[in-house]
Amino acid sequence: MKNWKNKIIFLTVFFLLSAVYCLSEMTVESSVQYRAWGFKNSRTESDTDLDQINIEKTNLLLTFPFIHETLLVTGYKYSYILKSQLFAHILYKKNKISIESGLSLGFFNELPINLIPGIYGKADVQLGKSFIFSMYGNTSFYIHPLISLSSQDCKFDQNLFGFSSSFIIKDAILSYHYENENIRINTSSTTYKNNIKKIYEITVGTDLKDLWINSRTGVGVKIADFKTESVHQRLLGVYIEETLIFKIKNVFLSTGVKSTILNITLKDISSTSPPKTPAFSFYTGIKFPI
């Protein structure tokens, strides 16, 4: 019995020291994007007006050392399309390759809470000194009928896919980015909603290691789609954005503004006036070690 007590004390001290070490190496990252145009998930087939979004995206990420040569990335993220997700990912980095994968639990911000499990994957590869390719995705999966985490009539499917390619030119980075974010909501056994946002974007940014400020300028196209069995509404917007990244010791602060300069209504909403241009949205973020 005494040996077991000694082992328990030893293991307790070991895990406490490990926890203190992990917390001492923890990195916190958070951001929020304020105001956007699009289609809300609460939209109905009879709606014709375009929706103004208050919070487009927000997240809180905690990163700390895990098992040998890996990091644990966990936290919460929200978007007006996918709604909320809690997640835990394992991140592995070696040389010029980075692989991240893990699980998530998706839910709407309403009661009762129905949890849908999901899976996430991301890979970054650097080829030579000048080219970086990245691909990532997140999708829901169902364990029903063996294990039901949600009622059959409240099922939804959160999906995210994106990729980017970047060229490093001395102290600048030229990038192309594509992202498709969509959710399918089964409102009954025979009816559904499908809300989609696509982004095509080209950015150029500075990457000056010894300077306390860098910038990123982007030009892109955003396409918002809302579909049901009988309705398909779509809006296309062209935007420009400017982001400043400040480095103060080990703390990174970023702030930016996006201006939509052109809107084109497509598919079933041609009679609806598009948002006035220019339309502005704002971004801010912070990343710091503890």
Side-chain angles (χ1 to χ4, degrees):
M1 179 65 69
K2 185 176 181 179
N3 290 335
W4 277 107
K5 288 183 179 180
N6 291 336
K7 290 180 180 179
I8 292 173
I9 293 174
F10 173 78
L11 290 173
T12 302
V13 172
F14 173 77
F15 282 118
L16 286 175
L17 291 175
S18 300
V20 170
Y21 168 75
C22 289
L23 290 175
S24 66
E25 297 293 326
M26 180 185 293
T27 299
V28 180
E29 184 176 354
S30 182
S31 66
V32 60
Q33 298 180 26
Y34 177 72
R35 296 189 71 84
W37 51 263
F39 303 121
K40 296 180 179 179
N41 292 333
S42 58
R43 193 175 182 85
T44 65
E45 294 186 1
S46 60
D47 291 334
T48 57
D49 292 333
L50 302 167
D51 297 322
Q52 182 68 42
I53 312 299
N54 288 325
I55 301 297
E56 182 176 11
K57 285 187 177 183
T58 186
N59 63 53
L60 175 63
L61 287 77
L62 305 177
T63 303
F64 49 87
F66 192 52
I67 305 173
H68 179 62
E69 293 187 343
T70 63
L71 300 170
L72 177 61
V73 184
T74 185
Y76 166 82
K77 56 185 177 181
Y78 166 88
S79 77
Y80 76 92
I81 291 183
L82 298 186
K83 295 300 182 180
S84 291
Q85 288 181 312
L86 297 171
F87 62 89
H89 304 159
I90 300 297
L91 175 59
Y92 174 78
K93 293 182 177 181
K94 190 170 184 179
N95 298 328
K96 297 181 179 181
I97 297 177
S98 172
I99 299 174
E100 183 177 350
S101 64
L103 301 175
S104 64
L105 286 176
F107 57 95
F108 286 167
N109 296 70
E110 58 187 34
L111 296 174
I113 295 178
N114 295 288
L115 298 175
I116 293 292
I119 188 169
Y120 176 87
K122 181 180 181 181
D124 296 320
V125 179
Q126 182 172 345
L127 302 176
K129 297 181 179 180
S130 303
F131 181 74
I132 301 174
F133 180 79
S134 177
M135 180 179 293
Y136 58 93
N138 189 157
T139 187
S140 303
F141 65 89
Y142 306 113
I143 313 178
H144 187 88
L146 297 179
I147 301 174
S148 179
L149 297 183
S150 67
S151 58
Q152 188 69 17
D153 59 348
C154 294
K155 188 179 293 185
F156 57 91
D157 191 358
Q158 298 167 314
N159 296 290
L160 174 68
F161 173 76
F163 70 85
S164 63
S165 57
S166 302
F167 293 92
I168 302 174
I169 308 170
K170 292 185 178 180
D171 294 325
I173 300 177
L174 176 65
S175 301
Y176 170 76
H177 179 223
Y178 166 80
E179 183 173 277
N180 184 320
E181 189 177 30
N182 66 82
I183 188 168
R184 180 186 172 99
I185 305 169
N186 291 343
T187 53
S188 72
S189 59
T190 58
T191 59
Y192 72 91
K193 297 179 184 179
N194 199 5
N195 202 357
I196 305 169
K197 183 183 75 173
K198 297 178 183 178
I199 289 178
Y200 304 83
E201 183 179 78
I202 295 176
T203 64
V204 59
T206 59
D207 187 27
L208 300 168
K209 306 296 184 183
D210 300 327
L211 196 63
W212 64 277
I213 184 172
N214 280 281
S215 66
R216 183 175 64 247
T217 303
V219 178
V221 174
K222 170 184 170 181
I223 300 175
D225 279 274
F226 179 81
K227 298 180 181 179
T228 66
E229 298 85 343
S230 58
V231 169
H232 182 190
Q233 299 175 336
R234 178 184 290 180
L235 177 65
L236 180 150
V238 179
Y239 64 86
I240 57 175
E241 62 177 344
E242 181 68 26
T243 304
L244 298 177
I245 302 100
F246 303 91
K247 182 181 179 182
I248 306 172
K249 293 185 177 181
N250 293 326
V251 178
F252 290 86
L253 298 171
S254 56
T255 182
V257 60
K258 178 189 292 184
S259 175
T260 301
I261 58 176
L262 174 65
N263 281 308
I264 302 174
T265 54
L266 308 167
K267 296 283 187 180
D268 294 349
I269 54 172
S270 58
S271 61
T272 301
S273 299
K276 294 181 180 180
T277 56
F280 296 96
S281 60
F282 306 92
Y283 165 86
T284 184
I286 185 171
K287 180 179 181 180
F288 58 93
I290 295 180

mmCIF file with all atom_site columns, all heavy atoms in Angstrom, residues 24 35 101 107 152 203 270:
data_model
loop_
_atom_site.group_PDB
_atom_site.id
_atom_site.type_symbol
_atom_site.label_atom_id
_atom_site.label_alt_id
_atom_site.label_comp_id
_atom_site.label_asym_id
_atom_site.label_entity_id
_atom_site.label_seq_id
_atom_site.pdbx_PDB_ins_code
_atom_site.Cartn_x
_atom_site.Cartn_y
_atom_site.Cartn_z
_atom_site.occupancy
_atom_site.B_iso_or_equiv
_atom_site.pdbx_formal_charge
_atom_site.auth_seq_id
_atom_site.auth_comp_id
_atom_site.auth_asym_id
_atom_site.auth_atom_id
_atom_site.pdbx_PDB_model_num
ATOM 1  N N   . SER A 1 24  ? 3.797   27.274 -19.196 1.00 0.00 ? 24  SER A N   1
ATOM 2  C CA  . SER A 1 24  ? 4.838   28.278 -19.376 1.00 0.00 ? 24  SER A CA  1
ATOM 3  C C   . SER A 1 24  ? 5.193   28.465 -20.836 1.00 0.00 ? 24  SER A C   1
ATOM 4  O O   . SER A 1 24  ? 5.747   29.494 -21.222 1.00 0.00 ? 24  SER A O   1
ATOM 5  C CB  . SER A 1 24  ? 6.092   27.881 -18.589 1.00 0.00 ? 24  SER A CB  1
ATOM 6  O OG  . SER A 1 24  ? 6.673   26.701 -19.128 1.00 0.00 ? 24  SER A OG  1
ATOM 7  N N   . ARG A 1 35  ? -18.491 43.084 -38.901 1.00 0.00 ? 35  ARG A N   1
ATOM 8  C CA  . ARG A 1 35  ? -19.358 43.559 -39.979 1.00 0.00 ? 35  ARG A CA  1
ATOM 9  C C   . ARG A 1 35  ? -19.017 42.909 -41.319 1.00 0.00 ? 35  ARG A C   1
ATOM 10 O O   . ARG A 1 35  ? -17.858 42.838 -41.730 1.00 0.00 ? 35  ARG A O   1
ATOM 11 C CB  . ARG A 1 35  ? -19.349 45.083 -40.115 1.00 0.00 ? 35  ARG A CB  1
ATOM 12 C CG  . ARG A 1 35  ? -19.907 45.784 -38.901 1.00 0.00 ? 35  ARG A CG  1
ATOM 13 C CD  . ARG A 1 35  ? -20.099 47.266 -39.151 1.00 0.00 ? 35  ARG A CD  1
ATOM 14 N NE  . ARG A 1 35  ? -21.209 47.495 -40.085 1.00 0.00 ? 35  ARG A NE  1
ATOM 15 C CZ  . ARG A 1 35  ? -22.483 47.543 -39.731 1.00 0.00 ? 35  ARG A CZ  1
ATOM 16 N NH1 . ARG A 1 35  ? -22.837 47.339 -38.479 1.00 0.00 ? 35  ARG A NH1 1
ATOM 17 N NH2 . ARG A 1 35  ? -23.414 47.786 -40.620 1.00 0.00 ? 35  ARG A NH2 1
ATOM 18 N N   . SER A 1 101 ? -3.991  17.909 -37.386 1.00 0.00 ? 101 SER A N   1
ATOM 19 C CA  . SER A 1 101 ? -5.240  17.143 -37.511 1.00 0.00 ? 101 SER A CA  1
ATOM 20 C C   . SER A 1 101 ? -5.886  17.003 -36.143 1.00 0.00 ? 101 SER A C   1
ATOM 21 O O   . SER A 1 101 ? -5.217  17.098 -35.113 1.00 0.00 ? 101 SER A O   1
ATOM 22 C CB  . SER A 1 101 ? -4.977  15.757 -38.113 1.00 0.00 ? 101 SER A CB  1
ATOM 23 O OG  . SER A 1 101 ? -4.160  14.982 -37.247 1.00 0.00 ? 101 SER A OG  1
ATOM 24 N N   . PHE A 1 107 ? -21.849 23.200 -33.018 1.00 0.00 ? 107 PHE A N   1
ATOM 25 C CA  . PHE A 1 107 ? -23.180 23.421 -32.463 1.00 0.00 ? 107 PHE A CA  1
ATOM 26 C C   . PHE A 1 107 ? -23.660 24.819 -32.823 1.00 0.00 ? 107 PHE A C   1
ATOM 27 O O   . PHE A 1 107 ? -22.857 25.719 -33.109 1.00 0.00 ? 107 PHE A O   1
ATOM 28 C CB  . PHE A 1 107 ? -23.188 23.237 -30.942 1.00 0.00 ? 107 PHE A CB  1
ATOM 29 C CG  . PHE A 1 107 ? -22.215 24.116 -30.197 1.00 0.00 ? 107 PHE A CG  1
ATOM 30 C CD1 . PHE A 1 107 ? -22.613 25.332 -29.654 1.00 0.00 ? 107 PHE A CD1 1
ATOM 31 C CD2 . PHE A 1 107 ? -20.901 23.730 -30.031 1.00 0.00 ? 107 PHE A CD2 1
ATOM 32 C CE1 . PHE A 1 107 ? -21.719 26.140 -28.980 1.00 0.00 ? 107 PHE A CE1 1
ATOM 33 C CE2 . PHE A 1 107 ? -20.002 24.522 -29.338 1.00 0.00 ? 107 PHE A CE2 1
ATOM 34 C CZ  . PHE A 1 107 ? -20.406 25.722 -28.816 1.00 0.00 ? 107 PHE A CZ  1
ATOM 35 N N   . GLN A 1 152 ? -32.445 13.409 -35.000 1.00 0.00 ? 152 GLN A N   1
ATOM 36 C CA  . GLN A 1 152 ? -32.448 13.187 -36.438 1.00 0.00 ? 152 GLN A CA  1
ATOM 37 C C   . GLN A 1 152 ? -32.980 14.377 -37.212 1.00 0.00 ? 152 GLN A C   1
ATOM 38 O O   . GLN A 1 152 ? -32.530 14.659 -38.319 1.00 0.00 ? 152 GLN A O   1
ATOM 39 C CB  . GLN A 1 152 ? -33.278 11.941 -36.761 1.00 0.00 ? 152 GLN A CB  1
ATOM 40 C CG  . GLN A 1 152 ? -33.205 11.474 -38.202 1.00 0.00 ? 152 GLN A CG  1
ATOM 41 C CD  . GLN A 1 152 ? -31.840 10.923 -38.554 1.00 0.00 ? 152 GLN A CD  1
ATOM 42 O OE1 . GLN A 1 152 ? -31.062 10.607 -37.671 1.00 0.00 ? 152 GLN A OE1 1
ATOM 43 N NE2 . GLN A 1 152 ? -31.544 10.801 -39.840 1.00 0.00 ? 152 GLN A NE2 1
ATOM 44 N N   . THR A 1 203 ? -2.960  38.365 -52.288 1.00 0.00 ? 203 THR A N   1
ATOM 45 C CA  . THR A 1 203 ? -2.380  39.294 -51.330 1.00 0.00 ? 203 THR A CA  1
ATOM 46 C C   . THR A 1 203 ? -0.882  39.423 -51.559 1.00 0.00 ? 203 THR A C   1
ATOM 47 O O   . THR A 1 203 ? -0.224  38.509 -52.065 1.00 0.00 ? 203 THR A O   1
ATOM 48 C CB  . THR A 1 203 ? -2.617  38.833 -49.881 1.00 0.00 ? 203 THR A CB  1
ATOM 49 O OG1 . THR A 1 203 ? -1.937  37.583 -49.658 1.00 0.00 ? 203 THR A OG1 1
ATOM 50 C CG2 . THR A 1 203 ? -4.092  38.677 -49.592 1.00 0.00 ? 203 THR A CG2 1
ATOM 51 N N   . SER A 1 270 ? -32.186 39.689 -58.238 1.00 0.00 ? 270 SER A N   1
ATOM 52 C CA  . SER A 1 270 ? -31.870 40.812 -59.119 1.00 0.00 ? 270 SER A CA  1
ATOM 53 C C   . SER A 1 270 ? -32.764 42.010 -58.838 1.00 0.00 ? 270 SER A C   1
ATOM 54 O O   . SER A 1 270 ? -32.416 43.131 -59.177 1.00 0.00 ? 270 SER A O   1
ATOM 55 C CB  . SER A 1 270 ? -32.012 40.384 -60.585 1.00 0.00 ? 270 SER A CB  1
ATOM 56 O OG  . SER A 1 270 ? -33.328 39.918 -60.839 1.00 0.00 ? 270 SER A OG  1
#
